[in-house]
Amino acid sequence: MSVDSPPVPQRAAVPGRTALPPVTWLLAAGTFLMGTTEFIVAGLLPQVASSLGTDLPGAGLAITAFAVGMIVGAPTMPLLTLRLPHRTTLAAALLVFAAGHVLGAVTGSLGVLLASRALTGLATGTFWAVACVAAVVAAGPAAASRVLGIVLGGGMLANVLGVPLGTITGQAVGWRGTFVGLAVLAAVLTAAVLRGLPRAVAGSAARPSLRGELASLRSVRLWLVLLTCAFITAGVLSTYSYVAPLVTDAAGLSASLVPGLLLVFGVASLAGNVLGGRLGDARPLATVGGVLVATAVVAVLLAALSSRPVAVPVLFALLGLVGLSANPVLVGLANAIGGGSTLATAMPTAIFNLGTAIGTALAGAAFAGGAGVQGPLLVGAVAALLAPVPFAALVLRDRRRSQPRSRSSTGTSSGAKPST
């Protein structure tokens, strides 16, 4: 695996797309299940706090612990399981996920709950990272962005369908019952993965090595992709996290509109993710560049027009449509730059979460520092404006590297008669 890999080519659209392998939908089911548990605690915080004898901020640490587990798990666990078949790693991640939820459901200690959430976050980061690698192996590089759009779209669907359903279930049977239900679903999916993931996706033909995986991190081009991942996610999630005060305080709309607007955002994100993946297979660089520019424009307009009651819902929906639609293409680019490296493909998952953590922390500080809702909007706009910078550097770097090859080809054929 070469660290100094060639520039990512702009692939031409291929007429008559082949169907994606069935394993795609199995992996998407896994990201849906794990995406559901990521934010389900947010809708059940009062129950969790009351049950464990803590306050809402204390219970909210369950969300933070999960995020930390994901950030750590995404890059490290795929390395520790490098020599295992993908099927084994994915099944093990699901079993750990199930065990973590059972532990959380039976404990009466906040500390144990936080540990269980960190454990499930670790399993989730592992599953997402390895699922991306397995999906690309199954579908082939030519369909990488499209298959990743479906697999990562499972996480988007979780926000639209899984979290609301989980919250409703928690209100009916309690948060502990919801955790047990998630554990049962994970166990069922474990059996499906062991049965349905073909041996062709058991791992790469070449024997992977830890040295080769770590070598992929020396690629400047990979880090430019990862910086893009961090900025774009921070830009979108900074605004998304403060949609309630944006709607009520800034735009002067009713709080009853917030759930519907979140639903619209989730549906738009899911559609954008799938569409971005389809477009990214044909023109990956153009797709990412277009998405980054569109997101920056929407984020700036949202900050500038935050007091306009008509503009806010429309712009927020557009932010959902374009803001995260480059994600599958960025993961595909990381995979291509890393030569199919598991670590290179896993890193965007960690960086997406890191960007979310940093972006929302800065947004919260700006909000509490006296800027009000305009603070998170400005943080989001600045991050969205910065996202094209590392990506432009990647494109320029690739163009400069391709020019010597072009000159060399011209020089070797200088004596030939030019064709007409």
Side-chain angles (χ1 to χ4, degrees), residues 120-325:
T120 53
L122 193 75
T124 297
T126 304
F127 186 94
W128 278 55
V130 177
C132 288
V133 179
V136 173
V137 172
S145 294
R146 188 157 56 108
V147 73
L148 288 169
I150 299 297
V151 173
L152 297 179
M156 302 290 180
L157 184 61
N159 290 326
V160 177
L161 186 61
V163 173
L165 286 178
T167 302
I168 293 172
T169 302
Q171 292 171 348
V173 302
W175 69 271
R176 297 180 187 276
T178 302
F179 273 36
V180 171
L182 289 168
V184 171
L185 290 174
V188 171
L189 190 57
T190 300
V193 165
L194 289 173
R195 181 179 178 84
L197 203 66
R199 294 186 181 278
V201 194
S204 60
R207 187 172 178 82
S209 69
L210 182 60
R211 177 178 297 179
E213 292 290 327
L214 293 175
S216 68
L217 296 185
R218 296 203 300 266
S219 169
V220 174
R221 296 167 63 239
L222 175 62
W223 285 104
L224 291 174
V225 171
L226 296 178
L227 275 175
T228 306
C229 293
F231 280 128
I232 192 65
T233 309
V236 175
L237 272 298
S238 296
T239 298
Y240 175 87
S241 300
Y242 288 85
V243 61
L246 169 63
V247 169
T248 57
D249 299 346
L253 297 170
S254 172
S256 62
L257 294 176
V258 173
L261 199 52
L262 288 172
L263 177 62
V264 171
F265 183 97
V267 172
S269 296
L270 176 61
N273 204 258
V274 174
L275 179 61
R278 293 183 69 86
L279 295 175
D281 277 330
R283 298 183 63 82
L285 300 183
T287 299
V288 175
V291 167
L292 295 179
V293 171
T295 303
V297 170
V298 173
V300 169
L301 287 176
L302 198 52
L305 303 176
S306 60
S307 61
R308 306 290 180 89
V310 175
V312 166
V314 174
L315 290 171
F316 189 71
L318 286 175
L319 186 67
L321 179 64
V322 299
L324 303 177
S325 56

Side-chain angles (χ1 to χ4, degrees), residues 4 25 28 38-39 44 63 69 106 155 157 169 176 188 195 215 251 301 331 341 372 411 415-416 418:
D4 192 24
W25 311 103
E38 184 172 5
F39 292 110
L44 302 172
I63 301 174
V106 301
L157 184 61
T169 302
R176 297 180 187 276
V188 171
R195 181 179 178 84
L301 287 176
V331 177
S341 159

Side-chain angles (χ1 to χ4, degrees), residues 64-129:
T64 305
F66 186 93
V68 171
M70 276 201 74
I71 293 171
V72 174
T76 58
M77 294 308 296
L79 283 183
L80 295 177
T81 59
L82 191 61
R83 299 295 178 89
L84 296 178
H86 293 153
R87 177 169 54 187
T88 303
T89 303
L90 292 170
L94 285 165
L95 288 176
V96 172
F97 178 90
H101 279 85
V102 171
L103 178 61
V106 301
T107 187
S109 165
L110 176 62
V112 175
L113 175 66
L114 296 182
S116 73
R117 289 288 291 174
L119 183 66
T120 53
L122 193 75
T124 297
T126 304
F127 186 94
W128 278 55

